[in-house]
Amino acid sequence: DVKVTQSSRYLVKRTGEKVFLECVQDMDHENMFWYRQDPGLGLRLIYFSYDVKMKEKGDIPEGYSVSREKKERFSLILESASTNQTSMYLCASSLWIGGSNQPQHFGDGTRLSIL
Amino acid sequence: SQQGEEDPQALSIQEGENATMNCSYKTSINNLQWYRQNSGRGLVHLILIRSNEREKHSGRLRVTLDTSKKSSSLLITASRAADTASYFCATDATGANNLFFGTGTRLTVIP
């Protein structure tokens, strides 16, 4: 089974801090994704990556950056944390086969609180 | 938005009853996927239906797809308390390189 591991289940940080959320997958998937999930808004894509050192902006990239130096690891960075970034953050990975998006495998999420 | 829209937003049923959730979307798709999320956890993939398929089964799950109406439904038969969760549809739009998730249906199965 694919395992997607997020470094923290719960995280509390202060406004203005630089925050790193780490995600590792063990199935050699090309694609990796970062979402945030807020009540009533569903999942919103922040960034995704389809290869090492490659990244694409999603729907809400402002205030975030990402890093993918190795295929198995995809990091989300909050450059200067703000209270409106308090949310549940979900990482996912998937294969890309024949021009279609295959099922995504999710980590258990990081519930981030910015005080 | 290319997001799928699930209907209803919330559904409460008795154990043993069937649960039906619907998803509508706006663009042409390669496939449509359904996911489940237990409270406080990540999403888990349930089933994928391709655009050229009309119905698919997996255990107690039945998914239908009507591309002319741009809609899909997820039926859970003989529901159990353990089916209590949020259910999301996700569309693989033609030409897109990521999935678009809906806002989900929260299902409560009462023992």
Side-chain angles (χ1 to χ4, degrees), chain A residues 2 6 8 38 51 54 57 64 69 75 84 112:
Chain A
V2 177
Q6 294 186 228
S8 304
D38 301 287
D51 202 350
M54 306 303 288
K57 292 180 180 179
Y64 304 94
E69 297 296 318
S75 302
N84 63 11
L112 175 64

Side-chain angles (χ1 to χ4, degrees), chain A residues 9 37 48 101 104 107-108, chain B residues 33 35 37 40-42 92 97:
Chain A
R9 289 295 308 276
Q37 184 177 27
F48 67 98
N101 285 282
Q104 294 186 7
D108 273 340
Chain B
Q33 304 175 24
Y35 290 78
Q37 184 181 33
R41 307 300 294 269
D92 177 22
N97 45 14

